[in-house]
Amino acid sequence: MDADEKRLGYVPATRATAVGLLAIVVWSLMTALVRVVAESFGATLGSALIYTAGVALLLVFHRPAPLSRYPKRYLIVGGTLFVFYESSISLSIGLASTAEQSVEVSLVNYLWPTLMVLLAAAIGRPRRKGAVWRALPGAVVATVGVALAVGGNSGLHVDAALGHVASNPLPYLLAFLGAFAWSLYAVITPAMSDGLDGTSVFFPGVAAALWIIHVASGEGLPAAMPGPSAWIAVIACAAVIAGGYAFWGYGILHGSLKTLAVASYATPVLSVAASALILGLSLSLPFWCGALLVVAGSVLNWLAERLGARGE
């Protein structure tokens, strides 16, 4: 162990990667819980309450280091990407004019695993010649699988989706820019962070942005005060989201970024499965076909990474 590792607090890469993988499992509960909260408080107020509760939980269980210890470049670049991602996703869902568009916007958001895999291959460490081309087949297969898994149960049709994009392009653009911002955050910020996780620093910025969005939306307060179960859902959702980001930040800083990138394909599939379980929905054949394609794409990326390592 060298002096830098002692200063930053050395963490075994395999353990850190396992913690990062736990984020993917925890995030699978997010969609269903957000839906429960939104039904009680509305979309914008529910999101603002969730992230406000998340700030409180992080300050108790994942206290940040003093701001003076964080590199300024990390705070500016990482904070901007983090807050932009969360705000853009919230706005894109709010701007979707129909339920079908909401599904399609979420699908665009789920391009972040593919973008992350390709960015990790292009600019991640160590760099390997031809890494992007080796990662591309698996990325395409897994992305098709995600489209089937997320859109299959909702009757996603390509022609109709293209028409929706043409008639209301802004939510799709925001979702894509958000997906790119999140993948970029995961790939480039570990090198800027000096080993420090900024999740607890960035979360208040997200909460503030979501309160601004809620006030600007004019939705106001619910007509009737939600009961205790709705507030419990807010706390549970805040724990899932904040905990997931804390696990993910730990994993990308100290673990294998490329392993986490490939494993991230499971995020939307697990999310749909967990939502079906919690909300009492049935899973159709397209979902299971999509899940198999996600697995196949992940295996292809894993094999490509192994071949690239052997070729050096």
Side-chain angles (χ1 to χ4, degrees):
M1 186 185 304
D2 61 26
D4 286 338
E5 289 173 337
K6 289 180 180 179
R7 177 173 57 85
L8 298 175
Y10 176 72
V11 181
T14 52
R15 190 179 75 184
T17 302
V19 173
L21 293 173
L22 185 59
I24 295 171
V25 177
V26 170
W27 278 334
S28 68
L29 303 173
M30 180 172 64
T31 299
L33 290 173
V34 168
R35 182 182 177 89
V36 171
V37 172
E39 287 175 349
S40 300
F41 295 95
T44 59
L45 178 59
S47 296
L49 289 172
I50 288 168
Y51 278 85
T52 302
V55 170
L57 290 173
L58 286 171
L59 289 176
V60 173
F61 296 105
H62 191 64
R63 292 182 65 85
L67 280 179
S68 59
R69 289 185 55 193
Y70 291 91
K72 290 182 180 179
R73 185 182 176 203
Y74 173 61
L75 289 176
I76 295 171
V77 176
T80 300
L81 291 172
F82 196 103
V83 173
F84 175 78
Y85 169 69
E86 296 297 338
S87 302
S88 66
I89 294 306
S90 177
L91 273 174
S92 65
I93 293 173
L95 290 170
S97 55
T98 64
E100 290 80 6
Q101 286 191 9
S102 296
V103 172
E104 293 157 7
V105 165
S106 70
L107 181 56
V108 174
N109 171 49
Y110 284 133
L111 287 174
W112 71 261
T114 298
L115 294 171
M116 184 178 167
V117 165
L118 296 177
L119 282 173
I123 62 177
R125 300 289 182 180
R127 292 188 185 180
R128 297 189 175 108
K129 186 177 180 180
V132 174
W133 292 108
R134 287 192 297 270
L136 194 57
V140 171
V141 171
T143 301
V144 172
V146 169
L148 282 174
V150 176
N153 268 24
S154 303
L156 181 64
H157 301 288
V158 174
D159 291 342
L162 291 175
H164 295 159
V165 173
S167 64
N168 187 21
L170 184 56
Y172 298 90
L173 177 62
L174 284 172
F176 178 78
L177 292 176
F180 182 78
W182 183 243
S183 61
L184 192 62
Y185 172 88
V187 174
I188 69 171
T189 58
M192 304 177 183
S193 68
D194 204 20
L196 297 170
D197 179 16
T199 299
S200 299
V201 178
F202 302 150
F203 240 67
V206 177
L210 291 175
W211 278 111
I212 293 170
I213 291 170
H214 172 64
V215 172
S217 73
E219 285 191 13
L221 299 175
M225 181 60 66
S229 60
W231 291 100
I232 291 172
V234 169
I235 301 301
C237 193
V240 163
I241 294 176
Y245 280 118
F247 293 149
W248 185 255
Y250 187 88
I252 64 173
L253 285 177
H254 305 291
S256 170
L257 177 62
K258 291 186 178 179
T259 298
L260 291 173
V262 172
S264 65
Y265 285 128
T267 305
V269 177
L270 290 175
S271 178
V272 172
S275 297
L277 182 64
I278 294 171
L279 301 175
L281 306 173
S282 60
L283 295 173
S284 64
L285 181 61
F287 169 82
W288 296 111
C289 293
L292 289 175
L293 286 175
V294 169
V295 172
S298 300
V299 170
L300 284 174
N301 278 129
W302 178 79
L303 290 173
E305 176 66 17
R306 297 270 293 184
L307 288 173
R310 288 180 181 177
E312 290 187 339

